[in-house]
Amino acid sequence: MSNSIGMKSGNSQSGKRNTEKANRQWLWISIAPAVIFLAALTIFPIFNLIGLSVHAVEWEGGKAVYDYVGMRNFKDLFAQDPVFWVGVKNTIVFAVCAVTFQMLLGFSMALAVSRAGQVGRGILTTIFLLPIVLPPIVIGAMWRLLMGRDFGALNGIVTSLGFAPVDWLGNPSLALASVIFVDVWHWTPFVFLLILAGLESLDQEVFEAAKLDVKGFWQELKFITLPLMMPTIIITMVLRIILSFKVFDEIYLLTSGGPGTATEVVNFTIYRVFFGQDRVGAGSAMSIVTLVGLVLLITFSQVIMRRFRKGASV
Amino acid sequence: MNIQKHGGKIAANSLVWGYALIILVPIIWVVSNSFKRQIDILTGKTFAPFTWSNYESLLFSRQSDFLGNLLNSVIISSIATTAVIMIATMAAYTLVRLNPPKWVKWMLLGWALFFHMLPTLTFVGSWFIMFSSVGLHGTYFAMISTLIVMNLPVALFLMVTFTEAVPVEIIQAARMDGCNSRQTFFQVVFPLVRGGMIAAAALVFIFAWSDFSVAVVLTSKDTMTVPVAIATFAQEFEIKYGEMAAGSVLSMIPAITLILFGQKFVVRGLLAGAVK
Amino acid sequence: MKHETLKKSVRTTAFIAASIAALAVPAYADGDQPDISIVINQSPWLDSFISVVDRYEEETGNKIELDVTPFGGLLEKIRNSVRADVGTYDIVNVNALWLTEIYAGGFLSPLTDIRDGYTLAEGVLDYGATTHWNHETNSFDTSADLMGIPLNGNVQVLYYRSDLYEEAGLSAPTTWDELAANAAALHEPPSTYGFVPRAARNAVVYNFTPYLYSQGGSVFEDPASGNFNVTINSPEALTALETYLHLTSEVAPENPGAIAQGELIQLLATGKAAQAIAVIGAWGNLENPDKSAVVGLINAALIPSGPGGSASAAGHWVGGIPNNISDERQEAAMAFLDWFVSQDVQIGYVEAGGVPIRGDLAETSIGSDDRFRFIEAYGQNAANAVMALPLKEGAQVSDALALRLNQAVIGEISATDALNAMAADTLKILTDAGYEVTSLSDL
């Protein structure tokens, strides 16, 4: 993917040397800030996490006592934790459904807006971006009220249409779907924004040239737009999947993992164990296991996207 | 053929405006809540007596300093976002086009991804210890640095994607004209990825602004940010929906202003004619 | 980029300088004690606490700084402060659920270390011995060290609609059967629910506690003396759970397994709940016309009794003094706490909207004030306050119990299976933590 620009400018020998030197300097200067921040602020925490996962930490007499337990935290997870694996399943279902809907909706809206006139574009973009501008805690609290069984506006609409009120968040079979709905409402703007930026930066000349070969909206979409947008689509999808695995605020305020374990997601379990129960060793082990699962899921989705890409390219 | 096209257009329009409605209605509801008493919000009344009490309680009560919190959020988020985008764009161009040693690219991006995939909550404790031990707890510096590092992975990946989209021919043309790497970056690449930078900056700003789990631990009373302030309304046994709504309305204003303002910079077909 | 860095450096330096300056010297006000700082959560009763603090500052000239934090961040802040080498806060406001963690961790100074021979004044409630901690048995024990003073007395009471009772000719129930009968009489969904439980997973253990203890059941055999044998799957517990499930399935809203604090208060405040067992702290909201549709129509009563008497789960707050602050500040914190418990101050506290930490206010001026008609029932319930999980691993056990209870409520498993699973899970947690305990045989 990356091309090396081998040509050097300047006519004189010293000119060439100066440019080489400047280029080498620039190479390292440009990467330095990123490296420094990552090194300074992530190395200690991550190694701390890995270290914690093979310990059990207790506090006695005001001091921490680290007890090496080897793989016990991991073994416990795999042996019989009733809640963690339900959480993993829920999280995967949640991530797949939510991200799919977000991608479809976000892409369609970005497409629509990029073709709209000046005024429509401005209004629609502002509206479409509103959900991510709201504080997450408010989104959770707000939808909890709206989906409330007795007083929620959603049921207000449902009953005015003649149906019985639905307990969107209290009914175990509906709870996860409701949470997914809220997540899609919340995060589609993310997809919308990135796809729109991607669409806007496409070279219009390609579209002009292709007008001779492709006829109509769908053909243009399938043979030109999608293949050109693939990199943006993939990165958006990967980021959304990762962020879905990290979902917390919505769950906390909407359902707190209930009813039963219907909306238990991994990040919430980790929160309860690591933070609520103060079992940092077990919580760290959970984080690492989740990380592995996430890597697998992303790799899997990449494979699928690559197949799709092969099929769609001209 | 025409009818089909027309029908398609109507369907598309209804979809778009339908979706816009689904977004707008709950938000308008939140705004209206900020002017209602709590009992009216709880009973789901659409029309209720108007009251300023939520805003009064938010802005003037003894324990709240909401305008100060807004200012803190603006300062912290703006600085963090600007820094992250600059750092990420510079690094992205280098990684993608300047052929650094392979291991550098893999290490940097790989580590960033690895870090991004772990839950933030597990790091907050470590960061608290780190900053407290040098006496920087509760400072802008602590919050800003943490926000930078938290958003660096997303920014890096986005800018790598956008930078890869810049055609190689343009870079080569710049080299032929006598630019070195730094000049190529600032004068040629930078303007071309501007659209992507704006989009990434918007997202990073929103992430930085909305952060709660780090802010609650790393900020002190003086540097408290808006999400922490709003979270005080989600209490142990009551959610103060009215004040929360009022806080959200005020919190949305800076962000919406930026969106309206930023739209000017996203120009269609930036690359058209650039190769020429 | 350079410009940003420069601006940042200047700002950083300024802040570092300011922080160091602020930390350097303990500020003294007009009074004879150094300033102290209390970390506390935002809550409906915060304003009443602030008024008490204001009064202290006026009367003594000593200054108190309050760091008000969202509830969701308070535990983290307390932990960070007490675990550090030098603490930020001089009094930490610890919720009942976190007490065992903070006590067992050895972070607080026993009050007798700060003031020789100090004891809890007569009339001050101890909420199930939670003001004391025994470091040997690792549990609450009134004969052991006094570790803190309660700052807010949030216990459960039985709420009921006095107007609905009057209409239907009912009176406050003294037994669970009477409660169920009252509920059946008033249950008319969806306009009125006879009884509203708080059976969501994050609340059900707390909600179930009175039922369990009123039957003479308990989670552990005798925690105060260090006996943590698991007794949750006893016949008494089964009776308790069956009582609870009867209420949740017959006279409660649909899907009670999803009702948490927010919904419970909403149903009470909007008038849909006829009866409920909830914390007394909600009283202020229910009497506020901006937040409640039933002002003046609510009353509080003693929670129904069973063969084991009446019990109320404690959800109160205890103020402790960390041991990582200077002696002067400890003494200043002690001065405040000691001043706080007097009857006069507590009366003022109630009048400002707080929940008192004394049980002897019914005979005072506020006992006859209709605005505070909850005082007597509160005192009675507070005297019966219990902590179901008085051990260091309490949070973990609570999560395990909560899962099964919630599953029983939503009908996923039977009551017997739930209790047996709870016993097995608790036993495993305890044995993994090094306790040598047994459990009862399966029901």
Side-chain angles (χ1 to χ4, degrees):
Chain A
M1 250 328 221
S2 66
N3 286 305
S4 157
I5 316 295
M7 305 186 62
K8 302 250 189 293
S9 59
N11 291 322
S12 65
Q13 282 287 57
S14 63
K16 263 196 200 161
R17 268 205 305 276
N18 279 339
T19 317
E20 270 177 52
K21 192 166 159 220
N23 285 346
R24 249 200 324 274
Q25 271 181 349
W26 176 250
L27 187 85
W28 297 109
I29 292 178
S30 58
I31 304 191
V35 170
I36 292 175
F37 269 103
L38 282 173
L41 288 173
T42 63
I43 292 189
F44 168 60
I46 291 186
F47 279 108
N48 191 34
L49 183 80
I50 298 179
L52 284 177
S53 68
V54 290
H55 286 84
V57 184
E58 303 269 313
W59 287 86
E60 267 157 47
K63 298 264 170 276
V65 175
Y66 295 91
D67 186 24
Y68 180 74
V69 293
M71 296 303 281
R72 196 184 76 180
N73 289 329
F74 293 95
K75 273 197 214 136
D76 280 345
L77 261 192
F78 285 97
Q80 60 214 244
D81 195 308
V83 175
F84 182 68
W85 294 104
V86 178
V88 170
K89 187 193 78 160
N90 283 341
T91 312
I92 293 179
V93 170
F94 176 85
V96 169
C97 293
V99 175
T100 309
F101 281 117
Q102 286 162 16
M103 294 300 298
L104 289 172
L105 198 53
F107 192 91
S108 331
M109 292 305 134
L111 209 55
V113 166
S114 71
R115 292 162 159 261
Q118 193 69 318
V119 174
R121 167 113 52 93
I123 298 180
L124 283 175
T125 308
T126 314
I127 295 181
F128 287 165
L129 286 180
L130 284 176
I132 41 171
V133 166
L134 273 178
I137 201 175
V138 174
I139 295 183
M142 165 184 109
W143 276 106
R144 185 157 199 185
L145 268 186
L146 286 174
M147 287 177 159
R149 196 197 165 280
D150 291 276
F151 297 104
L154 267 189
N155 276 343
I157 299 177
V158 164
T159 46
S160 68
L161 290 175
F163 298 101
V166 180
D167 199 347
W168 303 98
L169 293 170
N171 186 333
S173 2
L174 286 179
L176 191 58
S178 307
V179 170
I180 291 176
F181 173 81
V182 174
D183 195 69
V184 171
W185 188 88
H186 185 191
W187 287 108
T188 302
F190 180 97
V191 176
F192 169 78
L193 186 60
L194 290 178
I195 302 292
L196 185 62
L199 285 173
E200 301 280 277
S201 69
L202 290 180
D203 189 355
Q204 291 307 302
E205 294 212 340
V206 180
F207 286 91
E208 298 294 324
K211 276 240 164 72
L212 300 170
D213 293 321
V214 293
K215 288 195 168 67
F217 174 74
W218 293 103
Q219 284 207 339
E220 184 188 79
L221 183 67
K222 186 172 167 201
F223 293 115
I224 315 284
T225 319
L226 279 180
L228 284 177
M229 287 295 297
M230 254 320 142
T232 313
I233 293 179
I234 291 184
I235 192 70
T236 308
M237 206 176 71
V238 170
L239 287 175
R240 273 313 313 149
I241 293 180
I242 296 179
L243 286 168
S244 293
F245 260 74
K246 288 165 92 169
V247 71
F248 177 78
D249 283 308
E250 277 104 342
I251 308 284
Y252 182 62
L253 277 162
L254 282 175
T255 57
S256 288
T261 47
T263 59
E264 181 84 15
V265 293
V266 156
N267 207 23
F268 197 71
T269 315
I270 294 179
Y271 165 80
R272 263 216 319 278
V273 171
F274 189 93
F275 178 77
Q277 295 175 9
D278 199 31
R279 287 165 63 214
V280 294
S284 305
M286 279 183 188
S287 305
I288 293 179
V289 170
T290 308
L291 173 73
V292 171
L294 187 53
V295 169
L296 289 174
L297 185 67
I298 292 181
T299 319
F300 185 62
S301 70
Q302 288 278 59
V303 167
I304 294 190
M305 287 309 279
R306 223 156 263 169
R307 287 250 176 90
F308 182 70
R309 188 181 191 173
K310 280 205 180 119
S313 58
V314 174
Chain B
M1 188 62 169
N2 265 337
I3 297 179
Q4 228 181 27
K5 242 184 166 176
H6 202 59
K9 261 206 164 144
I10 293 185
N13 267 324
S14 3
L15 211 66
V16 171
W17 290 101
Y19 175 59
L21 213 65
I22 296 182
I23 292 186
L24 271 181
V25 170
I27 294 194
I28 294 178
W29 180 75
V30 170
V31 175
S32 75
N33 279 350
S34 67
F35 297 108
K36 292 183 197 158
R37 304 172 311 159
Q38 188 155 303
I39 184 62
D40 297 322
I41 301 176
L42 287 180
T43 47
K45 288 213 181 86
T46 328
F47 297 107
F50 183 94
T51 172
W52 284 110
S53 61
N54 295 322
Y55 287 97
E56 275 167 23
S57 156
L58 185 71
L59 295 171
F60 305 123
S61 89
R62 199 182 181 280
Q63 285 299 315
S64 91
D65 179 26
F66 198 74
L67 291 177
N69 298 329
L70 264 179
L71 185 66
N72 288 336
S73 273
V74 169
I75 293 178
I76 290 174
S77 305
S78 310
I79 297 182
T81 307
T82 317
V84 169
I85 295 298
M86 277 309 303
I87 295 176
T89 312
M90 282 197 319
Y93 171 63
T94 304
L95 291 173
V96 164
R97 293 281 182 244
L98 293 188
N99 219 24
K102 261 253 149 97
W103 65 269
V104 169
K105 184 175 182 183
W106 281 105
M107 274 292 294
L108 188 54
L109 291 180
W111 184 259
L113 183 65
F114 184 59
F115 168 62
H116 186 52
M117 292 201 279
L118 289 167
T120 323
L121 143 87
T122 51
F123 300 130
V124 173
S126 306
W127 285 328
F128 174 81
I129 295 176
M130 284 168 65
F131 285 111
S132 306
S133 64
V134 291
L136 287 178
H137 172 256
T139 57
Y140 276 174
F141 181 75
M143 258 325 281
I144 294 176
S145 325
T146 331
L147 285 177
I148 290 178
V149 89
M150 284 201 300
N151 289 299
L152 203 48
V154 172
L156 266 177
F157 284 109
L158 286 179
M159 291 324 297
V160 161
T161 310
F162 289 127
T163 314
E164 274 175 352
V166 173
V168 181
E169 298 84 34
I170 296 186
I171 315 268
Q172 285 174 336
R175 285 313 185 103
M176 287 211 282
D177 282 347
C179 295
N180 65 16
S181 307
R182 186 175 54 82
Q183 289 162 328
T184 316
F185 173 69
F186 279 109
Q187 287 159 25
V188 178
V189 177
F190 192 85
L192 289 177
V193 293
R194 215 171 45 171
M197 280 173 71
I198 302 278
L203 287 176
V204 170
F205 184 82
I206 286 170
F207 285 141
W209 183 276
S210 317
D211 166 76
F212 171 77
S213 38
V214 177
V216 74
V217 172
L218 287 186
T219 59
S220 65
K221 203 160 137 185
D222 298 318
T223 53
M224 183 149 76
T225 57
V226 167
V228 180
I230 292 187
T232 62
F233 298 121
Q235 300 171 2
E236 201 195 340
F237 37 74
E238 143 181 60
I239 297 185
K240 291 184 153 173
Y241 294 104
E243 281 93 336
M244 201 184 249
S248 315
V249 169
L250 292 182
S251 159
M252 284 200 289
I253 293 178
I256 295 185
T257 318
L258 281 172
I259 293 178
L260 291 173
F261 195 64
Q263 285 199 54
K264 289 191 198 156
F265 293 98
V266 185
V267 174
R268 184 179 225 168
L270 219 41
L271 288 173
V275 179
K276 294 183 192 135
Chain C
M1 180 69 180
K2 280 206 183 121
H3 193 53
E4 303 290 10
T5 327
L6 185 62
K7 262 203 309 205
K8 238 187 345 179
S9 313
V10 171
R11 196 173 269 119
T12 311
T13 320
F15 264 92
I16 294 179
S19 319
I20 293 177
L23 289 171
V25 182
Y28 278 72
D30 301 312
D32 56 350
Q33 303 277 8
D35 291 358
I36 57 171
S37 126
I38 305 181
V39 67
I40 197 167
N41 60 312
Q42 256 288 7
S43 66
W45 54 273
L46 178 65
D47 285 336
S48 55
F49 190 75
I50 291 176
S51 73
V52 167
V53 166
D54 283 346
R55 183 172 159 184
Y56 180 72
E57 288 182 340
E58 261 173 54
E59 280 182 21
T60 64
N62 296 317
K63 287 248 161 283
I64 298 188
E65 193 196 294
L66 290 177
D67 185 344
V68 180
T69 306
F71 180 72
L74 181 57
L75 178 56
E76 191 71 11
K77 279 199 161 175
I78 292 178
R79 279 181 185 152
N80 287 336
S81 178
V82 300
R83 288 174 179 177
D85 288 331
V86 178
T88 327
Y89 305 115
D90 306 299
I91 297 182
V92 286
N93 188 35
V94 185
N95 186 270
L97 298 170
W98 315 328
L99 273 177
T100 49
E101 179 194 322
I102 302 293
Y103 283 169
F107 302 114
L108 304 178
S109 289
L111 298 187
T112 42
D113 280 3
I114 305 177
R115 269 200 199 170
D116 270 337
Y118 188 80
T119 56
L120 264 189
E122 187 79 36
V124 176
L125 298 157
D126 65 20
Y127 301 97
T130 51
T131 42
H132 297 74
W133 183 255
N134 187 324
H135 290 276
E136 262 110 66
T137 62
N138 263 329
S139 188
F140 300 117
D141 182 3
T142 37
S143 65
D145 285 333
L146 176 64
M147 303 297 296
I149 301 277
L151 292 180
N152 174 278
N154 215 6
V155 299
Q156 291 172 327
V157 299
L158 174 67
Y159 283 101
Y160 63 90
R161 287 279 298 282
S162 42
D163 58 326
L164 293 181
Y165 267 30
E166 221 180 284
E167 247 175 64
L170 303 169
S171 58
T174 51
T175 67
W176 295 107
D177 287 335
E178 283 173 28
L179 176 69
N182 283 0
L186 297 173
H187 187 57
E188 270 173 47
S191 59
T192 312
Y193 298 109
F195 182 76
V196 179
R198 192 178 148 209
R201 236 171 89 206
N202 61 1
V204 66
V205 174
Y206 186 66
N207 201 231
F208 178 62
T209 299
Y211 297 80
L212 179 64
Y213 282 80
S214 67
Q215 299 293 338
S218 67
V219 183
F220 303 109
E221 210 173 305
D222 188 12
S225 53
N227 179 343
F228 285 98
N229 287 333
V230 179
T231 56
I232 186 63
N233 54 340
S234 59
E236 293 82 17
L238 185 58
T239 316
L241 187 52
E242 282 170 349
T243 313
Y244 191 64
L245 291 177
H246 170 80
L247 289 172
T248 59
S249 53
E250 301 292 316
V251 290
E254 234 178 81
N255 294 323
I259 297 180
Q261 189 78 282
E263 281 74 43
L264 177 55
I265 306 288
Q266 184 181 21
L267 288 172
L268 273 173
T270 53
K272 280 205 169 184
Q275 305 173 107
I277 293 180
V279 291
I280 190 62
W283 181 270
N285 278 7
L286 296 174
E287 289 283 285
N288 181 340
D290 272 351
K291 303 191 172 179
S292 161
V294 293
V295 179
L297 304 177
I298 289 268
N299 214 333
L302 183 63
I303 292 177
S305 316
S310 165
S312 165
H316 58 297
W317 296 81
V318 175
I321 302 180
N323 53 19
N324 60 355
I325 55 175
S326 70
D327 287 345
E328 296 85 40
R329 293 169 88 114
Q330 282 195 329
E331 179 51 47
M334 190 69 234
F336 172 72
L337 289 178
D338 185 37
W339 175 90
F340 181 74
V341 299
S342 74
Q343 212 183 52
D344 194 42
V345 174
Q346 288 298 308
I347 291 179
Y349 193 32
V350 175
E351 284 172 349
V355 181
I357 49 127
R358 298 186 70 109
D360 57 357
L361 298 182
E363 294 93 44
T364 67
S365 56
I366 53 172
S368 44
D369 191 327
D370 187 61
R371 287 174 302 163
F372 310 118
R373 56 191 181 277
F374 67 87
I375 278 291
E376 193 180 341
Y378 163 71
Q380 292 171 333
N381 279 306
N384 297 331
V386 293
M387 289 287 290
L389 302 170
L391 73 168
K392 203 161 52 157
E393 293 75 14
Q396 199 182 350
V397 173
S398 176
D399 282 344
L401 300 181
L403 177 64
R404 306 301 180 186
L405 281 173
N406 188 255
Q407 285 176 325
V409 169
I410 65 179
E412 255 176 47
I413 54 182
S414 73
T416 322
D417 287 343
L419 289 172
N420 287 335
M422 282 156 74
D425 291 342
T426 311
L427 186 66
K428 174 160 199 316
I429 293 174
L430 258 53
T431 40
D432 279 353
Y435 289 76
E436 280 176 28
V437 290
T438 58
S439 75
L440 305 172
S441 46
D442 278 356
L443 278 171

